[in-house]
Amino acid sequence: MGKFVISKRTNGEFQFNLKAGNGQTILTSEGYTAKAGCLKGIESVKTNSEDDSKFARETSKNEKPYFNLKATNGQIIGTSEMYESVAARENGIESVKNNAPTATIDDQTT
């Protein structure tokens, strides 16, 4: 079962990582100034991860495949790691789809 881990960056911003059941990070959020915004981001990931059209499949400047998960308004709510192949990126997307909707929240900022 997946989980969202909320942490605080050195600059004081909150962020979350979606981790798969094996503990691997499969999606990382932007920084949020308030924890409430971070929690809304998690809810947005849970909602939007069930819609394949919300996954923007990208390629980095050094030719590594990755993806962004976007909200209905087009804003990026999470970014994947860089993958070695397109197939690995697709597996990452499937992992987000499978883990996000039922993931628990582990708040490590309290």
Side-chain angles (χ1 to χ4, degrees):
M1 176 183 231
K3 68 179 176 177
F4 289 96
V5 178
I6 300 174
S7 60
K8 212 169 193 182
R9 295 179 174 177
T10 55
N11 66 0
E13 290 183 335
F14 294 89
Q15 77 170 45
F16 63 82
N17 287 313
L18 174 59
K19 295 186 177 268
N22 64 5
Q24 183 178 0
T25 299
I26 51 179
L27 194 71
T28 300
S29 76
E30 64 179 358
Y32 295 91
T33 53
K35 190 186 290 186
C38 190
L39 291 168
K40 283 184 179 177
I42 289 171
E43 289 307 312
S44 184
V45 169
K46 287 184 171 200
T47 301
N48 290 291
S49 64
E50 299 184 271
D51 182 350
D52 188 70
S53 71
K54 302 289 197 232
F55 290 90
R57 290 152 172 91
E58 309 284 354
T59 303
S60 69
K61 289 178 185 172
N62 64 349
E63 302 298 315
K64 299 272 188 186
Y66 71 100
F67 64 86
N68 288 315
L69 178 60
K70 295 187 176 186
T72 304
N73 65 5
Q75 182 178 356
I76 295 170
I77 49 179
T79 301
S80 73
E81 66 179 341
M82 299 295 161
Y83 293 99
E84 293 301 318
S85 68
V86 170
R89 177 183 63 199
E90 292 303 313
N91 287 339
I93 290 170
E94 287 304 312
S95 186
V96 171
K97 289 179 184 177
N98 292 331
N99 284 282
T102 59
T104 59
I105 297 175
D106 177 6
D107 185 349
Q108 298 186 347
T109 66
T110 56

